[in-house]
């Protein structure tokens, strides 16, 4: 007999309009109604997920919460999915997705004594392949989703075995009829399903009123009871997603296997609402680096571990990843609320990191006479060769004339350094910014000595324009900047030219008011491009008092780097682009400060490579994803790479908070900004927004972006890029600080012996006082590394498969390492 599992859910987007009390009120009324139906109708089961909603019920209606607890215990109410929220499943880093599950599963286990086995993300707009391993190592056997539908993603079957980067597997099913039903039409949805699939033996069908609340209704339940009674040849019954997958399980070996991500849909969401995306990335970075610093300090007795502070910041991060917040599809107050939420988490992390830094620095010896100590804490388990920028103030302003030149040394050895324009604009010479080249030892405080030297005047740049070109050439690097266009015409490393002319051109793309980009796959219609300002416009935009300013100039030059600035305009928008070119090494930095005031347009940054037949790769959650080469918009995280057709060389691009891009004919276009209307949902032939008034647009105003570009042998680049991108995002903590010398000397934190393996997480265990260490192999190649923790005088050998996430628990009492899953349970 054919069987249909009816799964009733109320799709409650708690932050769709993101004045969160509205979401809480929606949850209260819907859950109240659902509890009434579950108590009165003995064959009915209500299903819902998202721990945050249950927490609101617990806080605001404790009696209702107790009723729900009783219904869950009686099997009349089902916890669906078991995550903190239904997050975006492409842009959060792999570790963020782990924490979504950790928060949700621990809550439901504590409050309802359930261990959810079927994960469900019904509304998110796509699903990274790295989720498979995360799910499998969090106790899930199955995954239910709705998007992308068949128009955007062809699957071998709607039920399949989803295979992760490391070979992990879960059963997966796409709910083809989507997650809701119109009020009073649940029976019609079931009848339509049966007519269109007469040969289907076992089905799951989601139903429930409304896109944002409602769930069951008296009429729908009566109608479904009538259908069940009048259809004896089909067993139709109220059920759960877990029951469906239990029935599907024995057919697992007959199902097709699918070893890709589940994308794309709503590709505009990879870019919309840039300040939320950048704030989210920054909070990810700050939280995970704060955990590392606090763990290393507290586990050697230098401070108390800030459990409550870090837990609060984690909740802020997890909430911000909701699938209508991080993708940028909320209304204006939702955007403001998201920024407020992220800033709250960032402030917490700032205080935690400062406390940990001062604890780790307290045992450093006091400064010598005339010394300004610059302390740099590297939280990573590997050495970092980098340019360090640090600002400080001398004891008093320079009243005596001349120029005070800061000099940097390490253990008595001078290091290449240069002064640059500080962030302040004091009329006196007082505050200083020093940039220097250094190698930071892993997992420890690195100390540098700064001393001031009086010279006649500030050194002037030695590089200048000549014949319309600024040429920058070192033993490693050959760069040409065209001063008639402002673009980079050559980026040559070791004789290989990686970029074609006009690189870093800002392109303006035709777009519309839909923040999701629901009906498109790509953004390729070039409507215009930014061009150099004339000298008068450049002077006005720069805010200088003189009448003209060359739009392309060298603004900094010294032992460490040369900085070239170019000023551009388009329509109502302006852009300051800076090339930061190193005197040693091959990595260049590009900074864009954009003043964006266009409507229904998109801004992309063009990087035309020399590899027209090359392929493009991008970092994904705990993996690497091949990106399309036909111009379709794609999503990636901290880095992307263009690999030459022969796989010999690769160009890599690291970012600090962008996710969208497209690639075609060797050209990578990185998506920076869109300017749609808030929550403009395309429906039929109606206009996307009102046409009789001013409609505010997203991402109007000033935004700042950083990129780091490098090239080299593809094997070397792709092995190094994951650690490089982590160090650019979780930035070592640099501060000019005079230590007291009265504390205990801090021992180094974590050191890994191999050149590739990552340390995504170092934190106190959720239960007890043990330490959790999470490692990840990011290249797909099996490796062994020695995990050395001098701060605990412990070490062990760890073997990882390609793309494997491995979690260890260090037992403080017995000084043992134990393998645990992502929920910190022993395996």
């Amino acid at each position: 007999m054919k069987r249909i599992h009816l799964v009733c859910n109320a799709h409650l987007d708690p932050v769709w309009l993101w004045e969160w009390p509205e979401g809480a009120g929606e949850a209260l009324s819907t859950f109240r109604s659902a509890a009434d139906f579950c108590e009165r109708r003995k064959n009915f089961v209500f299903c819902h997920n998202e721990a945050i909603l249950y927490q609101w019920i617990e806080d605001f209606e404790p009696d209702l919460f107790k009723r729900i607890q009783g219904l869950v215990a009686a099997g009349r109410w089902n916890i669906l999915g078991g995550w903190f929220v239904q997050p975006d499943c492409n842009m959060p880093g792999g570790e963020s997705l782990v924490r979504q599950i950790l928060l949700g599963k621990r809550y439901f286990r504590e409050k309802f004594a359930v261990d959810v086995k079927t994960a469900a993300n019904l509304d998110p707009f796509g699903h990274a392949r790295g989720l498979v391993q995360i799910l499998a190592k969090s106790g899930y056997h199955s995954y239910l989703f709705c998007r992308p539908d068949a128009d955007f993603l062809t699957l071998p079957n709607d039920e399949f075995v989803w295979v992760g980067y490391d070979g992990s597997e879960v059963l997966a099913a796409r709910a083809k009829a989507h997650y809701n039903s119109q009020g009073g039409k649940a029976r019609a949805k079931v009848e339509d399903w049966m007519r269109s699939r007469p040969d289907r033996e076992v089905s799951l069908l989601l139903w429930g009123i409304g896109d944002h609340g409602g769930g069951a209704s008296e009429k729908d339940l009566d109608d479904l009871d009538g259908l069940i009674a009048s259809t004896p040849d089909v067993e139709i019954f109220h059920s759960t997603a877990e029951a469906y997958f239990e029935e599907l399980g024995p057919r697992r070996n007959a199902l097709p296997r699918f070893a890709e991500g589940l994308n794309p849909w709503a590709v505009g969401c990879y870019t919309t609402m840039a300040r939320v995306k950048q704030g989210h990335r920054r909070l990810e970075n700050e939280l995970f680096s704060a955990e590392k610093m606090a763990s290393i300090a507290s586990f050697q007795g230098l401070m108390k571990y800030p459990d409550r502070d870090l837990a609060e910041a984690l909740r802020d991060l997890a909430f911000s990843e909701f699938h209508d917040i991080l993708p940028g599809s909320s209304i204006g107050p939702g955007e403001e609320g998201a920024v407020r939420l992220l800033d709250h988490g960032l402030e917490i992390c700032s205080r935690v990191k400062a406390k940990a830094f001062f604890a780790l620095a307290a045992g450093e010896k006091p400064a010598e006479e005339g010394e300004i100590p610059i302390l740099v804490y590297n939280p990573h388990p590997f050495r970092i060769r980098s340019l360090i920028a640090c600002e400080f103030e001398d004891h008093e302003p320079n009243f005596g004339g001349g120029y005070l030149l800061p000099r940097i040394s390490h253990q008595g050895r001078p290091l290449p350094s240069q002064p640059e324009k500080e962030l302040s604009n004091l009329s006196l010479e007082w505050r200083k910014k020093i940039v220097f080249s250094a190698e930071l030892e892993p997992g420890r405080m690195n100390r540098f000595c700064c001393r001031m030297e009086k010279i006649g005047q500030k050194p002037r740049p030695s590089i200048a324009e000549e014949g319309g070109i600024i040429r920058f050439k070192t033993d490693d690097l050959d760069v040409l900047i065209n001063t008639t266009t402002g673009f980079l015409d050559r980026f040559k490393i070791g004789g290989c030219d990686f970029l074609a002319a006009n690189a870093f051109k800002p392109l303006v793309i035709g777009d519309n008011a839909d923040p999701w980009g629901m009906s498109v796959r790509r953004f390729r219609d070039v409507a215009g491009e930014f061009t150099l300002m004339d000298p008068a416009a450049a002077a006005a935009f720069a805010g200088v008092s003189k009448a003209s300013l060359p739009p392309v100039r060298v603004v900094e030059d010294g032992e460490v780097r040369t900085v070239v600035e170019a000023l551009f305009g388009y329509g109502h928008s302006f852009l300051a682009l800076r090339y930061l070119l190193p005197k040693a090494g091959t990595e260049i930095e590009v900074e864009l400060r954009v003043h964006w005031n266009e409507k229904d347009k998109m801004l992309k940054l063009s990087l035309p490579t020399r590899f027209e037949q090359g392929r493009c790769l991008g970092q994904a959650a705990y993996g690497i994803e091949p990106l399309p080469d036909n111009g379709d918009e794609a999503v990636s995280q901290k880095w992307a790479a263009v690999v030459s057709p022969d796989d010999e060389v690769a160009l890599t691009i690291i970012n600090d908070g962008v996710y969208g891009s497209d690639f075609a004919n060797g050209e990578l276009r990185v998506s920076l900004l869109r300017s749609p209307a808030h929550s403009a949902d395309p429906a039929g032939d109606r206009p996307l927004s009102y046409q009789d008034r001013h409609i505010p647009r997203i991402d109007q105003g000033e935004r700042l972006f950083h990129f780091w570009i490098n090239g080299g042998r593809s094997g070397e680049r792709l092995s190094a890029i994951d650690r490089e991108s982590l160090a650019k995002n979780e930035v070592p903590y640099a501060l000019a600080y005079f230590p007291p010398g009265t504390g205990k000397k801090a021992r180094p934190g974590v050191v890994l012996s191999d050149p590739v393996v990552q340390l995504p997480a170092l934190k106190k265990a959720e239960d007890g006082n043990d330490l959790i260490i999470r490692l990840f192999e990011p290249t797909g190649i099996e490796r062994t590394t020695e995990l050395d923790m001098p701060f605990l005088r412990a070490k062990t050998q760890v073997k990882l498969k390609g793309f494997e996430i491995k979690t260890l628990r260090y037992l403080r009492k017995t000084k043992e390492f134990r393998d645990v899953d992502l929920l910190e349970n022993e395996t």
Side-chain angles (χ1 to χ4, degrees):
M1 180 182 289
K2 297 181 177 63
R3 289 165 54 84
I4 300 177
H5 294 255
L6 298 180
V7 178
C8 179
N9 74 107
H11 181 62
L12 288 165
D13 275 3
V15 285
W16 155 244
L17 300 178
W18 215 91
E19 288 289 81
W20 75 262
E22 180 175 348
E26 190 176 86
L28 289 166
S29 60
T30 299
F31 278 29
R32 205 179 300 125
S33 171
D36 290 344
F37 284 128
C38 288
E39 289 166 348
R40 287 191 288 106
R41 292 179 175 261
K42 300 307 180 185
N43 67 334
F44 175 64
V45 181
F46 180 71
C47 305
H48 210 277
N49 58 355
E50 297 183 310
I52 193 168
L53 298 179
Y54 290 85
Q55 290 175 1
W56 287 343
I57 304 299
E58 185 179 11
D59 288 343
F60 304 141
E61 280 198 33
D63 289 342
L64 174 59
F65 185 76
K66 288 176 183 176
R67 289 172 64 196
I68 294 171
Q69 284 180 312
L71 289 167
V72 171
R76 309 298 312 288
W77 185 299
N78 177 255
I79 305 299
L80 175 67
W83 292 25
F84 187 71
V85 298
Q86 286 190 59
D88 180 88
C89 293
N90 279 312
M91 290 177 284
E95 188 58 27
S96 288
L97 294 171
V98 170
R99 305 303 179 90
Q100 281 283 346
I101 295 172
L102 186 66
L103 283 172
K105 272 209 160 192
R106 283 180 60 82
Y107 178 80
F108 288 119
R109 186 176 295 167
E110 176 190 348
K111 301 294 183 178
F112 296 93
V114 296
D115 184 16
V116 185
K117 296 296 184 182
T118 295
N121 282 306
L122 306 182
D123 203 23
F125 311 148
H127 313 264
R129 186 183 174 195
L131 269 176
V132 181
Q133 183 180 184
I134 294 171
L135 293 169
K137 291 184 174 177
S138 299
Y140 288 106
H141 58 51
S142 47
Y143 190 61
L144 180 64
F145 67 100
C146 294
R147 295 192 175 103
D149 63 23
D151 291 337
F152 281 85
L153 175 65
T154 300
L155 290 171
N157 193 55
D158 283 330
E159 292 85 21
F160 56 95
V161 177
W162 196 15
V163 183
Y165 295 111
D166 71 321
S168 297
E169 297 181 356
V170 293
L171 274 177
R174 175 166 61 188
K176 200 164 187 175
H178 220 58
Y179 51 72
N180 59 354
S181 55
Q182 294 183 40
K185 296 185 178 181
R187 175 171 179 159
K189 180 174 183 176
V190 180
E191 290 173 333
D192 179 67
W193 178 266
M194 290 191 294
R195 279 193 301 271
S196 61
R197 294 160 182 82
D199 300 324
R200 189 74 172 261
E201 292 296 324
V202 180
S203 300
L204 175 145
L205 194 62
L206 298 169
W207 71 282
I209 299 171
D211 195 5
H212 299 93
S217 73
E218 204 79 60
K219 181 180 186 326
D220 279 321
L221 288 170
D222 287 342
D223 288 350
L224 289 173
D225 285 347
L227 178 64
I228 290 168
S230 63
T231 317
D233 56 330
V234 180
E235 188 177 359
I236 304 169
F237 54 100
H238 295 290
S239 185
T240 68
E242 287 186 348
Y244 166 73
F245 278 107
E246 290 291 344
E247 186 167 354
L248 186 64
R251 299 175 47 217
R252 182 187 187 111
N253 291 339
L255 294 176
R257 295 160 60 82
F258 190 71
E260 300 176 27
L262 305 176
N263 283 304
W265 190 77
V267 295
C269 284
Y270 306 156
T271 303
T272 302
M273 216 171 277
R275 67 173 178 157
V276 171
K277 289 173 169 58
Q278 289 181 322
H280 167 264
R281 173 76 67 81
R282 188 178 170 201
L283 182 52
E284 275 189 322
N285 297 332
E286 293 300 296
L287 175 60
F288 299 142
S289 60
E291 286 180 343
K292 291 168 187 169
M293 292 176 66
S295 296
I296 293 167
S298 66
F299 273 70
Q300 54 186 310
L302 304 178
M303 64 178 282
K304 185 179 182 295
Y305 191 82
D307 304 74
R308 294 182 64 179
D309 290 337
L310 291 172
E312 192 169 357
L314 176 59
R315 283 173 54 88
D316 291 338
L317 176 68
F319 198 174
S320 78
E321 291 166 348
F322 183 77
H323 64 268
D324 277 316
I325 297 180
L326 182 55
S329 47
S330 67
I331 63 171
E335 179 179 4
E336 296 305 321
V339 171
R340 195 165 60 242
L341 179 79
L342 290 162
D343 284 345
H344 178 257
L346 285 166
E347 180 59 28
I348 291 172
C349 291
S350 174
R351 296 181 184 196
V352 169
K353 288 181 73 171
K355 187 171 184 178
F357 178 88
F358 291 129
L360 291 161
E364 293 288 321
K365 66 180 183 180
E368 297 178 358
E369 184 68 27
E371 176 193 8
I372 300 172
I374 294 180
L375 305 184
V376 185
Y377 192 81
N378 175 11
H380 303 292
F382 49 85
R383 287 186 179 88
I384 297 174
R385 164 66 68 177
S386 181
L387 297 184
I388 308 298
C390 184
E391 292 207 5
F392 59 91
E393 289 181 9
D394 204 358
H395 302 295
E396 62 178 359
N398 178 15
F399 295 114
Y403 180 77
L404 290 174
L405 178 68
R407 298 280 194 186
I408 294 286
S409 64
H410 177 60
Q411 297 178 350
R413 181 174 58 87
L415 297 179
S417 65
Q418 68 188 61
E420 290 188 357
K421 170 70 177 67
E422 65 283 351
L423 290 173
S424 68
N425 293 286
L426 300 173
S427 56
L428 283 171
E429 183 192 354
W430 190 358
R431 189 163 178 84
K432 291 286 184 178
K433 176 182 177 181
I434 182 74
V435 181
F436 60 98
S437 177
E439 184 170 83
L440 304 178
E441 292 298 315
R444 70 193 71 187
M445 193 69 73
N446 294 260
R447 181 169 179 156
F448 304 92
C449 174
C450 178
R451 292 182 181 275
M452 308 302 288
E453 176 185 341
K454 186 65 137 325
I455 61 175
Q457 61 181 11
K458 183 179 179 179
R460 295 182 179 279
S462 61
I463 294 178
E465 177 211 356
E466 188 174 338
I469 294 292
I470 294 174
R471 183 169 189 182
F472 178 89
K473 194 172 190 310
T474 68
D475 292 341
D476 304 312
L477 190 60
D478 188 0
V479 172
L480 290 183
I481 297 171
N482 189 326
T483 59
T484 63
T485 65
F487 304 133
L488 191 144
D489 283 351
R490 179 186 296 167
F491 178 57
K492 185 177 285 189
I493 298 170
C496 178
D497 205 349
F498 285 83
L499 291 171
N502 293 317
F504 303 104
K505 178 186 291 186
L507 300 176
V508 179
I509 307 296
D511 199 353
N512 63 24
D514 171 11
W516 288 272
M518 288 189 184
S519 58
V520 300
R521 289 179 178 269
R522 61 183 62 183
F523 301 97
R524 297 283 297 178
D525 180 18
V526 177
E529 60 189 53
F530 278 75
T531 57
L532 275 184
M533 296 179 181
D534 62 46
F541 175 64
V544 299
S545 57
K546 52 190 176 182
S548 68
L549 182 73
V552 183
R553 288 149 286 105
V554 175
V555 294
E556 303 285 358
D557 185 42
E559 292 182 308
V560 170
R561 65 186 179 189
T562 297
V563 181
V564 179
E565 181 179 84
L567 303 181
F568 300 88
Y570 171 86
H572 301 287
S573 302
F574 309 97
L575 189 153
L577 187 154
R578 287 184 175 177
Y579 303 97
L580 293 83
L581 311 173
K583 297 294 176 73
T586 56
E587 179 186 85
I588 69 171
E589 180 180 351
V590 173
E591 175 190 287
L592 291 93
R593 188 176 296 274
V594 184
H595 295 252
W596 182 247
N597 292 294
E598 307 308 310
K599 310 292 188 290
D600 295 349
K601 297 289 191 298
M602 185 180 197
L603 179 62
K604 283 179 172 276
L605 187 66
S606 170
L607 282 79
T609 74
R610 296 286 185 180
F611 316 131
E612 289 190 11
Q613 303 303 314
R615 60 193 176 97
C616 194
L617 305 172
Q619 186 192 51
Y622 281 138
I624 298 174
E625 193 69 14
L627 304 183
D629 61 2
N630 62 354
D632 280 359
E633 193 75 2
V635 61
S636 57
Q637 296 187 354
K638 294 183 179 75
W639 62 264
V642 179
V643 183
S644 63
D646 58 8
D647 281 346
E648 286 293 312
V649 295
L651 178 80
T652 55
I653 304 96
I654 297 170
N655 69 77
D656 67 345
V658 302
Y659 297 91
S661 67
D662 69 66
F663 179 73
N665 302 316
E667 180 193 21
L668 178 67
R669 295 179 178 178
V670 180
S671 303
L672 304 180
L673 294 166
R674 297 182 68 222
S675 48
H678 290 90
S679 303
D681 186 345
D685 297 328
R686 288 174 288 183
L688 281 164
S689 62
Y690 278 77
Q691 299 298 300
D692 62 346
R693 68 199 66 198
H694 169 259
I695 301 294
R697 298 306 172 101
I698 297 170
D699 274 326
Q700 303 290 280
E702 185 174 326
R703 301 288 183 268
L704 182 65
F705 303 90
H706 292 92
F707 299 93
W708 294 265
I709 298 90
N710 208 340
R713 308 291 294 180
S714 60
E716 296 171 0
R717 282 281 79 231
L718 296 178
S719 293
I721 187 63
D722 233 63
R723 281 190 172 182
E724 291 174 352
S725 66
L726 188 64
K728 289 292 189 292
N729 279 267
E730 291 184 29
V731 182
Y733 196 115
L735 189 68
Y737 174 59
F738 290 81
T742 55
K744 186 171 77 171
K745 179 72 173 177
R747 294 190 297 275
V750 178
V751 182
L752 295 175
S753 64
D754 80 294
V756 171
V757 173
Q758 292 276 34
L759 178 71
L762 183 74
K763 59 182 282 289
K764 183 172 172 285
E766 295 297 308
D767 295 314
N769 294 310
D770 298 330
L771 183 69
I772 297 296
I773 307 109
R774 187 132 45 240
L775 303 177
F776 173 61
E777 198 297 309
T779 67
I781 300 171
E782 186 176 292
R783 300 178 191 276
T784 299
T785 190
E786 182 180 76
L787 168 66
D788 186 9
M789 301 194 301
F791 72 115
L792 293 174
R793 296 185 174 91
K795 64 174 64 176
T796 188
Q797 293 285 120
V798 183
K799 186 174 182 179
L800 298 100
K801 297 186 301 181
F803 294 122
E804 181 180 4
I805 309 165
K806 184 178 283 290
T807 308
L808 303 174
R809 185 181 188 120
Y810 179 72
L811 308 179
R812 297 182 75 176
K813 286 186 177 180
T814 62
K815 302 186 184 306
E816 296 176 90
F817 290 93
R818 298 278 178 85
D819 285 347
V820 295
D821 63 16
L822 295 176
L823 301 180
E824 305 178 10
N825 303 313
E826 286 196 29
T827 57

